Amino acid sequence: MEHKSSTSRLGIVTSIFAGLLLSASIALGADMSHGADNFYKSDKVTFQKVSFNNQYRMKVAGNLFIPKGIKQGSKNPAIVVGHPMGAVKEQSSNLYATKLAEQGFVTLAIDLSFWGESEGQPRNAVSPDIYAEDFSAAVDYLGTQTFVDRERIGVLGICGSGSFAISAAKIDPRMKAIATVSMYDMGAAVRNALNHSQTIEQRKAIIAEAAQQRYAEFTGGETKYTSGTVHELTKDTHPIQREFYDFYRTPRGDFTPKGSSPELTTHPTLTSAVKFMNFYPFEDIETISPRPMLFITGDKAHSIEFSHDAYKRAAEPKELVLVKGAGHVDLYDRVNLIPWDKLTSFFRKNLI
């Protein structure tokens, strides 16, 4: 079957990453590659590839990081780490998992279903319920390892995975502490676009286009993809797209998983992307209490509205951390900006 990227209204209007309707006055961070270290490796931890099934019997792939020197027979705290929407575990989440493992946590960076090395067809499909299930499946895996204390498991979601982790935590009390970094509420982003810049009429046009595309694909037509990160820059490229390009399309963070292609990375399928419109991760977020929540975002991040919204709705204990001078993508891998001490102290306090 042939594949084609769509230049549809969905790709233009609701692109999670393009932000084409966002005011050009939004300030971005400084030099975006300064201090970037996405592919960081450490001699203080051991690493191994693992896999396990979610409840739908789909294989979820993960990278497991174990601190060197943990005592034999000990039960240790653990953290599940989820990657940005459209990314894979090798982009940002491996970095966070490695750094937190250096601090004594067993960590597991996962590929969400339909992405990376995890199973799921068609590739790059959107299914927020299954994404949330993958976090719970990761807890299943960690909680059955002899070196993990199943009563001390936390989750960390980066970008879109922040909303998936929250969705999972609402119905999975085994997640004892929940943190997000540069969070996107993927439902609100697709329904409303950034800063609520999308009209109901535009939303309906997107839904209608995706529905018609289902006929094409059901009868054997080509699969279309949407949104994601552009593959080349022009003089008219929006600053937010430039921010994502600097990570996903340069050696800073570029990674193509086996079985995919550079042309398809970051791009969800057109027909499935509208499923985010039925995704409301912050509804009932207050029921997670008294389990603690930590929201970290850059004070220059174009996505800051989502962390503010989640923090406002959440019940205590909760904390919102604004990283001075940081944009959205800065907190993917700029190790000099990421508040490692805050993350470490949060998980130590609540998991140890």
Side-chain angles (χ1 to χ4, degrees):
M1 181 179 290
E2 295 182 356
H3 302 287
K4 181 179 179 182
S5 291
S6 172
T7 56
S8 67
R9 185 182 297 272
L10 178 60
I12 295 173
V13 177
T14 68
S15 169
I16 303 308
F17 306 117
L20 294 177
L21 298 175
L22 185 64
S23 168
S25 64
I26 290 180
L28 296 175
D31 174 11
M32 287 185 291
S33 19
H34 176 68
D37 199 2
N38 178 70
F39 298 105
Y40 173 77
K41 290 182 172 55
S42 174
D43 59 6
K44 299 178 182 178
V45 305
T46 60
F47 156 80
Q48 65 183 91
K49 287 185 172 294
V50 301
S51 64
F52 46 90
N53 284 342
N54 63 22
Q55 278 197 327
Y56 302 104
R57 299 298 183 262
M58 300 165 66
K59 184 189 78 173
V60 178
N63 289 336
L64 182 67
F65 300 87
I66 303 174
K68 288 184 178 178
I70 63 172
K71 295 181 181 179
Q72 187 173 2
S74 63
K75 295 282 190 177
N76 300 275
I79 303 168
V80 181
V81 183
H83 57 72
M85 177 60 204
V88 291
K89 61 186 179 301
E90 288 79 10
Q91 294 167 310
S92 190
S93 51
N94 265 4
L95 168 62
Y96 276 80
T98 302
K99 288 285 191 178
L100 287 169
E102 288 182 332
Q103 300 303 314
F105 301 96
V106 174
T107 58
L108 177 62
I110 61 171
D111 276 331
L112 296 176
S113 293
F114 310 102
W115 298 89
E117 296 178 295
S118 289
E119 290 183 342
Q121 293 292 335
R123 303 308 296 164
N124 298 19
V126 167
S127 182
D129 284 347
I130 294 180
Y131 294 167
E133 161 59 23
D134 292 337
F135 276 88
S136 286
V139 174
D140 294 340
Y141 174 82
L142 287 173
T144 53
Q145 302 307 301
T146 59
F147 49 87
V148 170
D149 184 346
R150 65 172 58 177
E151 298 302 321
R152 294 189 291 161
I153 298 176
V155 295
L156 168 62
I158 305 162
C159 184
S161 276
S163 59
F164 311 143
I166 288 172
S167 180
K170 289 191 296 184
I171 58 172
D172 194 339
R174 300 175 302 169
M175 301 175 185
K176 303 301 184 183
I178 299 90
T180 69
V181 174
S182 290
M183 179 169 56
Y184 254 90
D185 174 347
M186 297 303 300
V190 173
R191 284 189 300 274
N192 307 317
L194 295 171
N195 289 349
H196 292 259
S197 55
Q198 179 170 278
T199 67
I200 295 295
E201 289 72 23
Q202 289 170 326
R203 182 194 303 179
K204 289 182 177 179
I206 292 162
I207 293 169
E209 179 184 7
Q212 288 301 312
Q213 177 61 23
R214 291 181 65 111
Y215 283 130
E217 294 179 16
F218 186 80
T219 54
E222 63 189 13
T223 300
K224 288 189 177 181
Y225 298 83
T226 188
S227 61
T229 302
V230 298
H231 294 270
E232 60 181 32
L233 299 180
T234 70
K235 62 181 178 61
D236 298 320
T237 302
H238 192 278
I240 292 177
Q241 270 289 15
R242 291 179 181 274
E243 185 183 6
F244 283 109
Y245 182 97
D246 190 71
F247 180 79
Y248 287 109
R249 306 300 181 205
T250 74
R252 173 184 169 189
D254 177 49
F255 185 88
T256 301
K258 183 178 179 181
S260 186
S261 68
E263 291 72 28
L264 295 184
T265 58
T266 78
H267 299 291
T269 62
L270 172 64
T271 56
S272 70
V274 294
K275 296 184 188 299
F276 276 136
M277 293 194 186
N278 280 340
F279 182 48
Y280 293 83
F282 298 168
E283 292 296 320
D284 299 323
I285 191 175
E286 71 278 4
T287 62
I288 292 175
S289 176
R291 289 173 288 154
M293 303 192 72
L294 172 65
F295 308 100
I296 297 174
T297 185
D299 69 352
K300 305 298 183 186
H302 65 261
S303 58
I304 193 171
E305 62 182 285
F306 304 122
S307 292
H308 276 301
D309 186 24
Y311 176 76
K312 179 181 178 180
R313 296 177 183 226
E316 297 288 352
K318 61 182 179 179
E319 185 175 3
L320 174 64
V321 174
L322 302 181
V323 181
K324 187 176 180 179
H328 177 86
V329 178
D330 288 334
L331 297 185
Y332 283 12
D333 66 341
R334 285 186 62 184
V335 294
N336 298 330
L337 277 178
I338 297 169
W340 301 112
D341 289 346
K342 172 56 68 175
L343 274 170
T344 299
S345 63
F346 171 76
F347 283 120
R348 278 186 177 161
K349 175 182 178 182
N350 296 297
L351 299 181
I352 295 180

